[in-house]
Amino acid sequence: KAGVTQTPRYLIKTRGQQVTLSCSPISGHRSVSWYQQTPGQGLQFLFEYFSETQRNKGNFPGRFSGRQFSNSRSEMNVSTLELGDSALYLCASSRGGAPDTQYFGPGTRLTVL
Amino acid sequence: GQQLNQSPQSMFIQEGEDVSMNCTSSSIFNTWLWYKQDPGEGPVLLIALYKAGELTSNGRLTAQFGITRKDSFLNISASIPSDVGIYFCAGYHGSSNTGKLIFGQGTTLQVKP
């Protein structure tokens, strides 16, 4: 079956702009989690959505937000981009949210200039 | 954000050698997970550990959940070139299907044929 897909794969933005990233989970999966990966901070949990509701949230500023649609697809939005937001953004999907059943997508590489 | 202390940061070994890496935390976890990430891809789950003292193998990989629930290690025996990549440990807080994954900083493994 098809894996987790993320679009776009690469993105270049400038400071102050906003960006929306998309994640399509594996068919049948209702949980989508988002992570930020940077060389300095490693992998950091952003938030998790399950059945269109945010169920868990990491320690990121309010500029980072997300949502989930009825078909389980999820979007992540970052407003007022800063240089430090440059990172690989990964999403992971699972049926119920258990971490040992999560499958990661390839990520979206965001560069903020 | 909270991170696990993973060591070593990088390893450069000869093909056929055994590899060992570990993670420690100040917090207790319910579950320990080990992932591998290849360039341009998201992390892939290698081994999941659920009980203190548990020792689990997956082919040439062996991982253990520390007795104190604050540490875990991963061994790779008889390394081969395709073992190259970044290995992450992750600890999981929370109940069976909702919670946060906390990741280590990663161990970059290079294997010389």
Side-chain angles (χ1 to χ4, degrees):
Chain A
K1 63 184 170 184
V4 178
T5 58
Q6 292 187 246
T7 57
R9 290 295 307 274
Y10 302 92
L11 205 49
I12 299 176
K13 292 286 188 178
T14 56
R15 276 183 301 174
Q17 287 187 309
Q18 75 161 18
V19 68
T20 299
L21 313 181
S22 179
C23 173
S24 292
I26 292 171
S27 177
H29 285 193
R30 296 165 64 189
S31 167
V32 174
S33 296
W34 287 89
Y35 297 85
Q36 181 195 65
Q37 185 175 22
T38 61
Q41 296 296 315
L43 275 150
Q44 303 276 337
F45 173 79
L46 280 155
F47 30 64
E48 182 215 359
Y49 285 86
F50 182 83
S51 292
E52 301 178 64
T53 301
Q54 188 180 86
R55 193 160 65 170
N56 274 296
K57 191 176 187 308
N59 299 321
F60 279 81
R63 299 184 298 107
F64 292 82
S65 63
R67 59 177 175 169
Q68 187 179 33
F69 302 94
S70 58
N71 62 357
S72 294
R73 188 177 71 86
S74 178
E75 287 182 346
M76 192 193 91
N77 185 275
V78 188
S79 63
T80 320
L81 284 166
E82 301 176 0
L83 295 179
D85 296 333
S86 294
L88 181 68
Y89 290 89
L90 294 159
C91 79
S93 79
S94 69
R95 286 193 185 278
D100 58 344
T101 62
Q102 281 187 353
Y103 292 84
F104 281 84
T108 293
R109 173 73 64 185
L110 172 65
T111 302
V112 182
L113 303 175
Chain B
Q2 181 185 359
Q3 276 193 326
L4 304 177
N5 186 20
Q6 184 174 349
S7 64
Q9 262 191 316
S10 62
M11 304 182 75
F12 188 84
I13 62 170
Q14 197 78 27
E15 182 177 0
E17 288 183 353
D18 295 345
V19 171
S20 185
M21 58 193 79
N22 68 80
C23 269
T24 59
S25 169
S26 57
S27 303
I28 289 173
F29 289 109
N30 299 335
T31 302
W32 280 94
L33 305 168
W34 285 91
Y35 292 86
K36 182 187 179 209
Q37 186 175 26
D38 292 325
E41 302 292 331
V44 174
L45 181 65
L46 298 173
I47 292 180
L49 302 158
Y50 303 99
K51 285 168 45 175
E54 179 181 356
L55 186 72
T56 297
S57 293
N58 178 8
R60 293 178 297 105
L61 278 59
T62 301
Q64 185 160 28
F65 194 141
I67 290 292
T68 65
R69 296 169 63 192
K70 293 182 179 180
D71 63 332
S72 178
F73 73 76
L74 174 71
N75 285 344
I76 305 173
S77 63
S79 58
I80 58 179
S82 62
D83 290 335
V84 165
I86 305 177
Y87 291 80
F88 292 96
C89 62
Y92 180 66
H93 289 293
S95 60
S96 61
N97 64 354
T98 179
K100 304 177 187 180
L101 269 182
I102 310 297
F103 282 86
Q105 301 97 320
T107 295
T108 300
L109 178 63
Q110 298 181 67
V111 179
K112 184 178 179 182

